[in-house]
Amino acid sequence: MTSGTNGPPRRFLALLTRRHVAGAAWWSVVARLPVYVMSLALILVVREQGGGYARAGLVAALYTLGLAAGGPLVARRVDRHGRRVVLAVTAVVCPASVAVLVWAARPDGWLQPAAAVLTGVSLPPANAVMRSLWARLPLEEAERDTAFLWEALLTEVLVIGAPLLLAALMLAGSAGLALTVVSAVGGAGALGLASVRAPAERASANAGRHPLGPLRSPAMAVLLGVMAACAVPIGLTTLAVPAFVDAHGSPGGTGAVYACWGVGSAVGALWLGRSSSRVPAHRRFPRLVLAYALGAALPLAATDELTLAAALAVGGAPIALVSASEMTLVGRIADSRLLTEAFTWASLATVAGDALGQQAGGLLVDRLGPEGVFAVAFGVALGAAGVAFGCGGLLGRGAGAVPVGAGR
């Protein structure tokens, strides 16, 4: 398939309906539903059971800790033993631990936090598995870029759509029932992803022998650092937006302003990604990060709720493209035997940067005001762009290897 001048929707459809691709791609969407609702749902479940916000925050934090500690280890097992066994095991263990947390644990007992940790450790690694498959499948370069653009766009859709699904399920029952259903559906998706066959895929008994895994590559370490830095402004802006709306509009409009941010990123992926770039990924990436940094400056010009929504929509246009380029580089830089673990570390770097930004935003918003936090976000993003430009040569040398199964 040649991308030509076809827009992303046609390229997505052509790619996602191909033999050896369709089954894995669509099962992976189902398997990823719990990823984007788990933290929120756990808080709602604990509150529904009578626990306080402190207890709810503890349970959510323990889940995140389990995910951060167990994710790379589980991904390493995928690289060493193949995705089928790991996905099959986690597809059973994760919904079972959720069921224990919801239906057997009490908010004042030890079983609830233990189940939260186990839920995080055993969450099926569908994101990393699918992204490593995209890097291994026998695709042309333009098709692989389309695949990672799809991954970036899908993230935006699931961030918005999965919580809405949870809310719809809660209308028909309790938060506990909704979380149980979502985790069971996700487990079924993981089993489906485990069952499909894909070409150019093999486990390696030698994978994961080094304690640092993919992190021993200097190019990979630098890329993860830039990814984390790019996520910090997202966290900062997440705290600054409600503070700005409180000061310049109605608190009830915060959700709509956030929605414009997500919609801008999705539209940017569809519009700006309508043609495949011939610029190598390691050169394209710094330019996209710079565009992202300039977009992060636009909220500084906002004067009210409406102009902030417009600034976020326009400024957020490069976000999905930056994410897609990051995934492309991970797939090219990482050792082909360690791709699942590499994509897991990439996700954790983004999560860590976002969390750091939210924490910093919470500390700074009262001192600097929302405009000050927007300025800090712009400065951090600009710094990330500077590092990306400065390390472009290193990223290019690290991306020299052809992924497993590349070509036809």
Side-chain angles (χ1 to χ4, degrees):
M1 182 190 79
T2 302
S3 297
T5 58
N6 288 337
R10 289 186 178 182
R11 303 206 316 261
F12 292 153
L13 183 61
L15 179 66
L16 297 175
T17 54
R18 286 182 56 171
R19 185 185 178 192
H20 300 310
V21 171
W26 295 114
W27 276 121
S28 77
V29 174
V30 178
R32 286 185 263 196
L33 288 176
V35 176
Y36 298 93
V37 301
M38 193 64 73
S39 294
L40 172 62
L42 287 174
I43 292 173
L44 295 175
V45 166
V46 174
R47 291 291 296 149
E48 186 177 73
Q49 292 175 342
Y53 281 109
R55 181 71 174 193
L58 173 64
V59 169
L62 288 173
Y63 157 76
T64 303
L65 180 63
L67 183 62
L73 299 177
V74 171
R76 187 169 293 189
R77 289 291 175 183
V78 174
D79 288 326
R80 292 186 64 179
H81 303 292
R83 63 184 160 88
R84 298 190 177 204
V85 173
V86 176
L87 283 173
V89 171
T90 55
V92 174
V93 174
C94 186
S97 64
V98 167
V100 169
L101 189 151
V102 172
W103 305 107
R106 299 177 59 180
D108 57 350
W110 63 269
L111 187 57
Q112 187 184 65
V117 172
L118 181 58
T119 298
V121 170
S122 63
L123 189 73
N127 265 332
V129 165
M130 192 62 225
R131 289 168 187 175
S132 68
L133 279 178
W134 286 128
R136 289 186 172 107
L137 286 170
L139 302 174
E140 296 176 359
E141 183 177 354
E143 292 174 319
R144 209 178 309 278
D145 287 343
T146 297
F148 287 127
L149 182 61
W150 161 254
E151 287 289 314
L153 181 61
L154 179 62
T155 298
E156 299 292 336
V157 172
L158 289 177
V159 164
I160 298 171
L164 292 177
L165 174 62
L166 180 69
L169 290 172
M170 287 177 62
L171 292 177
S174 63
L177 179 61
L179 177 57
T180 303
V181 170
V182 170
S183 64
V185 170
L191 288 174
L193 183 56
S195 68
V196 298
R197 294 185 177 182
E201 181 186 14
R202 65 176 184 267
S204 174
N206 296 322
R209 296 292 187 186
H210 195 283
L212 292 179
L215 299 183
R216 61 181 170 171
S217 163
M220 187 69 188
V222 166
L223 177 60
L224 293 180
V226 176
M227 291 177 70
C230 286
V232 171
I234 302 292
L236 288 165
T237 304
T238 298
L239 267 293
V241 166
F244 184 96
V245 174
D246 282 347
H248 296 84
S250 168
T254 301
V257 174
Y258 272 123
C260 290
W261 198 14
V263 169
S265 177
V267 171
L270 294 173
W271 178 252
L272 298 177
R274 64 188 182 277
S275 61
S276 298
S277 174
R278 295 184 179 179
V279 179
H282 67 280
R283 294 179 182 172
R284 184 169 71 245
F285 176 59
R287 300 175 189 179
L288 288 171
V289 177
L290 179 59
Y292 162 66
L294 296 177
L298 294 183
L300 290 169
T303 57
D304 54 25
E305 188 176 325
L306 183 61
T307 54
L308 177 62
L312 290 173
V314 175
I319 291 177
L321 295 176
V322 170
S323 179
S325 291
E326 290 170 345
M327 286 184 269
T328 297
L329 284 172
V330 170
R332 295 179 182 177
I333 289 173
D335 186 328
S336 60
R337 299 168 299 174
L338 305 172
L339 281 171
T340 309
E341 185 180 350
F343 278 107
T344 299
W345 279 115
S347 296
L348 290 178
T350 300
V351 170
D354 190 0
L356 177 61
Q358 291 190 41
Q359 181 64 43
L363 295 174
L364 294 175
V365 72
D366 288 331
R367 298 180 181 180
L368 304 180
E371 292 82 1
V373 177
F374 287 141
V376 173
F378 168 57
V380 173
L382 200 58
V387 174
F389 274 105
C391 298
L394 177 62
L395 297 178
R397 289 194 297 272
V402 178
V404 174
R408 297 221 177 214

